Amino acid sequence: MSGVSIVIVSAGRGTRMGQSDKLFMEVAGLPLVGHTWRRVDQFAGTVEIIIVTRWESRSLFENLAKRIAVVKPWRIVEGGAERQDSVWNGVNATDEASAVVAIQDGARPCTPLGSLGQAIDAARETGAAVLAKRVSDTLKRGDGQAQILGTVDRENLWAVQTPQVFRREVILAALAKVRDEGLAITDDTAACEALGQAVKLIECDRPNPKATTPDDLPFIESLLAAEAAGEG
């Protein structure tokens, strides 16, 4: 299989959004995760899509697949206790013949497909790549009591995003090491760091926000609306 398996991680409960399932909040005419799914479904290199979610949500995704007229083969995999467990389940469910796996947040619906393509090319070459933005804000280190201790040098600092893209054997080995050593990670590139695997940073040149709080939704909706109008 020369194409890319996409794993959409959608097992979280979105507690910071103030309701039980932020992924099915309607944004620009579709549930949030529907935009994410439809986008990767339209990517030419996608050969399969794995949806990692809570088992009780599977009927929501089955109905959503019909609503957005999914073209690429897809299936549902049950999520785990933590995000890293859900990713493990999802990656293991991908076709063994798939050379590359891209892991995407269900709540990140605006990813530029050109940037995804760049990350895939880099992962094929180096083993791992991630979309990211250079940090431009001034950073401060606090003392835990909302008091500034000092300024952090922002040179060479990046805020990583998703998709995070890997050769299949690389991410499986990295996640296995994390599990064997009982490590806790918040993103998949950290598993590569534990393995000593280099990760290429791909600068994302367009907005690629993740919906975390209600305040994120108007911006995401404006991006999706502009794209639908041909302005993006």
Side-chain angles (χ1 to χ4, degrees):
M1 182 183 292
S2 60
V4 180
S5 295
I6 307 286
V7 176
I8 301 179
V9 184
S10 306
R13 295 189 177 275
T15 54
R16 282 177 287 181
M17 194 62 77
Q19 67 175 52
S20 61
D21 206 336
K22 70 178 180 184
L23 294 175
F24 283 88
M25 296 178 70
E26 291 276 329
V27 180
L30 273 181
L32 184 67
V33 71
H35 292 285
T36 306
W37 189 355
R38 185 168 64 180
R39 185 170 296 259
V40 296
D41 185 63
Q42 293 170 344
F43 181 64
T46 301
V47 295
E48 65 172 352
I49 298 170
I50 308 298
I51 305 290
V52 187
T53 190
R54 302 185 304 280
W55 207 237
E56 64 266 25
S57 298
R58 63 189 184 277
S59 62
L60 294 174
F61 282 94
E62 289 165 354
N63 292 333
L64 181 58
K66 298 173 184 176
R67 183 172 172 183
I68 63 176
V70 172
V71 174
K72 305 295 173 61
W74 67 279
R75 59 188 180 279
I76 292 173
V77 174
E78 188 170 11
E82 303 293 339
R83 184 187 185 281
Q84 64 197 68
D85 303 313
S86 294
V87 171
W88 173 257
N89 293 351
V91 174
N92 274 283
T94 60
D95 193 307
E96 292 182 1
S98 184
V100 175
V101 176
I103 301 166
Q104 173 70 319
D105 291 323
R108 200 180 294 270
C110 301
T111 298
L113 294 185
S115 297
L116 171 58
Q118 292 176 43
I120 289 168
D121 290 344
R124 289 188 193 279
E125 180 179 350
T126 67
V130 60
L131 269 59
K133 292 288 287 185
R134 295 179 188 271
V135 172
S136 58
D137 292 331
T138 297
L139 298 178
K140 301 290 184 178
R141 180 180 292 107
D143 63 359
Q145 303 296 321
Q147 300 293 321
I148 291 176
L149 287 178
T151 301
V152 178
D153 184 357
R154 69 188 179 200
E155 186 177 2
N156 294 324
L157 290 183
W158 296 72
V160 298
Q161 305 172 345
T162 66
Q164 303 193 354
V165 188
F166 312 88
R167 289 203 296 261
R168 187 175 187 274
E169 73 275 10
V170 167
I171 189 58
L172 282 173
L175 291 171
K177 182 176 180 63
V178 165
R179 292 171 69 84
D180 290 345
E181 297 187 3
L183 302 177
I185 58 173
T186 57
D187 87 317
D188 313 305
T189 63
C192 286
E193 293 169 33
L195 191 67
Q197 165 68 47
V199 181
K200 180 70 173 179
L201 291 160
I202 303 299
E203 187 162 15
C204 192
D205 60 358
R206 294 172 58 190
N208 184 26
K210 179 182 178 182
T212 303
T213 71
D215 290 342
D216 298 320
L217 296 179
F219 179 49
I220 288 173
E221 184 155 26
S222 70
L223 291 173
L224 293 168
E227 188 175 272
E231 300 169 10

